[in-house]
Amino acid sequence: AAAAGSICSKILGRLEEIKVTEGDPVVPGQVLAMLDHRLLSAQAAAALAAVSVAKASLKQMESGLEASRKDFARYSALLKEGSATEQQFEQVKSRYEGLAASQDLAKAQVAQAEAGCEAAEASLSEAFIRATIPGVVTNKYFDQGDHLTAVGKALFSLANLDQIKIIVNVPERDMPRIVPGSKAVISVESVPGRTFYGAVSKVYPSLVPEPRTAEVEILLANPGHELRPGMYASVALQVMAPPAPPAPESGTGAVKKK
C-alpha cells in the first residue's frame, strides 16, 4: 500500500476493549481500542475541578480588589483634603497593594490548574487508540484483556488500499531511461485476466551492489481493492529510447604527400 503504518500505544495498561479486527475498514480518528482509563478519567475530573476552584478564587479576589481600589482612590482624595490621616491612608494603600499581589498569584494558579487539566485530558485521550490514516486493518497483535507492558509496541497495522505501491529492481544500464512518470503495465498471478496500469513515482539513486540494480517505485490506483500488500506482480516498464549515436562529420580536405 502507498500509505501504511503501525498503531502503537503511548501508555501502559490493560486493553479493556478492541473494536476492530483484520479486514475492517477504518477512517482517521476512529477508535480502534480502549485501555482501562478509570484512573485517568478520575484524574481528568479532579484537574477540571481544580480549574473551577482556581477561577472562583480569582473572581472573588478581583471583586475584593475592585472594592479596595475604590477605597484607595477615595482615601487619596480625603488625604489631600485633610479629611483622613496618613495612617488611615497607609492602611488602605497596604490592603490594596496586598490584594493586587494576591490577584497576580490567583491568575498564576488558574494558569497552573489549566495546564494540569490539559495534561490530564491529554493522558486520558491516549487511552483511546485511534486510526491515523484511512484504510483497512491488516494485522491485530493483541487481544482484549491483554496487558501492555511496554510503550511503542504495535497494536495494529493499517494500510490504505486505494493506492498501491510496487517496488521493482531494474538493471543499472536501464536507470537513465526510466524517469518519474514512465508508464508501467502490471499483471498479478492471483488476479488472472486483469491488467493494471501505473506510473513510476520515484527512482532511487543508489544501487544494490550485487547484482547492480536500482529500486524503482510505481504507484497505481486500486479502487476495487483487488490488489493487496504482499502480492507478487509482473511489471513491464516503458523506457525511453537510447540516444542516437552522433552523426559522422562531413567535409573536404587534401591529402598531403610525405
Side-chain angles (χ1 to χ4, degrees):
S6 296
I7 305 298
C8 305
S9 174
K10 296 180 181 179
I11 61 175
L12 307 181
R14 184 180 64 85
L15 277 169
E16 186 175 276
E17 184 179 359
I18 294 180
K19 295 178 172 290
V20 295
T21 190
E22 289 89 345
D24 286 351
V26 298
V27 296
Q30 179 179 337
V31 175
L32 309 179
M34 290 190 304
L35 277 71
D36 183 356
H37 54 278
R38 289 171 295 179
L39 177 59
L40 293 174
S41 294
Q43 291 172 341
L48 184 60
V51 171
S52 297
V53 170
K55 286 183 175 180
S57 177
L58 175 61
K59 186 176 180 179
Q60 183 179 16
M61 184 67 63
E62 288 173 338
S63 178
L65 179 62
E66 178 60 19
S68 180
R69 184 190 66 78
K70 292 178 179 179
D71 285 345
F72 176 71
R74 184 165 61 88
Y75 272 84
S76 295
L78 290 174
L79 181 65
K80 290 179 181 179
E81 296 172 358
S83 299
T85 66
E86 187 73 29
Q87 183 180 8
Q88 288 174 322
F89 172 75
E90 287 298 329
Q91 289 176 343
V92 172
K93 178 184 176 183
S94 177
R95 181 173 183 274
Y96 173 65
E97 290 176 345
L99 287 174
S102 297
Q103 183 194 40
D104 292 338
L105 177 60
K107 287 181 177 179
Q109 289 172 336
V110 169
Q112 184 181 42
E114 288 177 337
C117 185
E118 185 177 344
E121 289 177 347
S123 296
L124 176 60
S125 70
E126 296 295 350
F128 298 83
I129 312 301
R130 300 178 184 273
T132 55
I133 60 172
V136 298
V137 179
T138 54
N139 286 290
K140 177 173 71 72
Y141 302 106
F142 288 86
D143 295 317
Q144 188 165 309
D146 287 349
H147 284 264
L148 303 182
T149 57
V151 297
K153 286 188 175 181
L155 276 68
F156 304 93
S157 290
L158 306 181
N160 185 345
L161 301 182
D162 292 337
Q163 190 178 53
I164 292 293
K165 177 171 66 177
I166 299 176
I167 302 294
V168 297
N169 294 306
V170 299
E172 177 183 7
R173 64 178 181 274
D174 291 330
M175 279 187 66
R177 299 194 290 152
I178 299 174
V179 296
S182 296
K183 304 301 181 184
V185 180
I186 301 105
S187 58
V188 180
E189 185 178 343
S190 55
V191 189
R194 292 277 282 112
T195 301
F196 303 90
Y197 300 91
V200 172
S201 59
K202 185 186 299 183
V203 179
Y204 290 86
S206 59
L207 290 171
V208 178
E210 290 296 335
R212 305 296 298 174
T213 59
E215 288 188 342
V216 172
E217 180 183 288
I218 299 165
L219 293 180
L220 65 151
N222 185 37
H225 296 179
E226 295 176 274
L227 303 179
R228 297 299 179 99
M231 288 182 173
Y232 287 96
S234 298
V235 179
L237 282 172
Q238 178 191 60
V239 297
M240 296 187 300
E249 297 182 2
S250 58
T252 58
V255 178
K256 294 182 179 180
K257 293 182 180 180
K258 293 183 179 180

